[in-house]
Amino acid sequence: MYGLVNKAIQDMICQNHGEEVWENIKQKAGLEDVDFFISMDAYSDDITYRLVEAACEVFKMPAEDILKAFGEYWVTYTAAEGYGDLLDSAGDSLPQFVENLDNLHARVGLSFSQLRPPSFDCEHTSEKSMELHYQSTRKGLTPMVIGLLHGLGKRFNTKIDITQTRSREEGSTYDSFSIEYDNSQSYDK
Ligand code: 1DX
């Protein structure tokens, strides 16, 4: 994955737990020789998975919890670290943003040819619900997607309820979610 992802993990850990904890996790991941990640360089996925695994050991938390927290973090991190306009251009509501995710990734992929974007296919089932199909070349990142969706809920002041309805873990060829959302409590609408 692009270094931006590893940098975001580093930033989340440093913000919440400090530099020493990060150095510990980096060492446990076997990355003691890495001084820093370069956002726009492509790294082996293995590096990202090792960081998550090491964080699990240090925080004694399951990978799902860490990936979920990281998904939420990614939305605010990328908005603050140079991709605010990219995110803004993807829409101003949760359903619109999710609908535009493949376009967003296609745009990033024009400049960064080693991007392996997931695909998100929406079926709008009512004014406040959708079925979302998530397909990825990568394994094990479904909890991150759930965190990402919660991050979008926060971004758009939208309550969101997610139920997984298909799972690769349980033999499906991809994951699906049934999503209910509601921004009617929002003060700025
Ligand atoms: F709901 O792979 C909200 O490396 C969402 O299954 C979901 O293959 C927001 F470094 C620049 C760069 C670069 C910008 F410069 C990425 F190249 C991309 C910024 C998307 C913001 C996908 C990251 C592929 C790296 C993947 C989970 C799960 C998508 C990570 C989240 C907005 C992004 O992101 C899987 C790679 C960006 C960039 C966004 C992603 C790769 C997402 C979201 N993905 C790289």
Side-chain angles (χ1 to χ4, degrees):
M1 293 215 249
Y2 275 92
L4 184 65
V5 174
N6 300 323
K7 276 187 65 160
I9 293 175
Q10 171 175 1
D11 198 70
M12 178 177 78
I13 292 168
C14 287
Q15 291 286 313
N16 293 329
H17 306 278
E19 208 75 36
E20 298 94 285
V21 173
W22 164 248
E23 289 300 329
N24 184 219
I25 288 169
K26 200 171 81 165
Q27 190 210 310
K28 274 201 159 64
L31 302 172
E32 50 274 278
D33 293 344
V34 176
D35 289 328
F36 47 80
F37 296 109
I38 298 168
S39 292
M40 296 180 187
D41 276 5
Y43 293 82
S44 163
D45 282 1
D46 191 51
I47 290 180
T48 307
Y49 286 107
R50 268 151 54 195
L51 284 172
V52 172
E53 200 181 315
C56 289
E57 282 181 40
V58 168
F59 301 131
K60 300 187 179 18
M61 272 165 70
E64 299 84 90
D65 294 9
I66 289 173
L67 285 166
K68 222 182 135 193
F70 179 56
E72 273 202 57
Y73 196 80
W74 176 258
V75 176
T76 49
Y77 179 80
T78 51
E81 297 297 321
Y83 299 98
D85 290 347
L86 180 77
L87 297 195
D88 286 347
S89 73
D92 43 29
S93 72
L94 178 100
Q96 199 185 8
F97 193 101
V98 175
E99 185 72 61
N100 278 323
L101 264 171
D102 287 3
N103 291 323
L104 181 157
H105 284 121
R107 193 148 2 126
V108 176
L110 287 176
S111 315
F112 301 97
S113 62
Q114 293 185 74
L115 196 79
R116 281 163 42 210
S119 101
F120 293 94
D121 185 32
C122 304
E123 286 177 64
H124 300 280
T125 45
S126 84
E127 211 170 306
K128 295 178 173 181
S129 64
M130 67 164 102
E131 196 74 15
L132 177 65
H133 309 291
Y134 158 60
Q135 292 177 274
S136 179
T137 61
R138 303 187 170 96
K139 282 183 172 173
L141 299 183
T142 308
M144 181 179 172
V145 170
I146 293 171
L148 284 158
L149 293 167
H150 283 290
L152 290 178
K154 285 196 177 157
R155 176 176 170 86
F156 298 115
N157 296 307
T158 299
K159 259 175 58 180
I160 178 166
D161 191 78
I162 306 165
T163 309
Q164 194 167 350
T165 53
R166 267 196 200 86
S167 170
R168 280 164 76 182
E169 304 253 285
E170 289 171 12
S172 297
T173 50
Y174 58 90
D175 295 305
S176 297
F177 310 95
S178 179
I179 299 173
E180 285 183 61
Y181 55 90
D182 185 1
N183 67 3
S184 61
Q185 296 301 308
S186 165
Y187 292 107
D188 53 7
K189 293 255 165 198

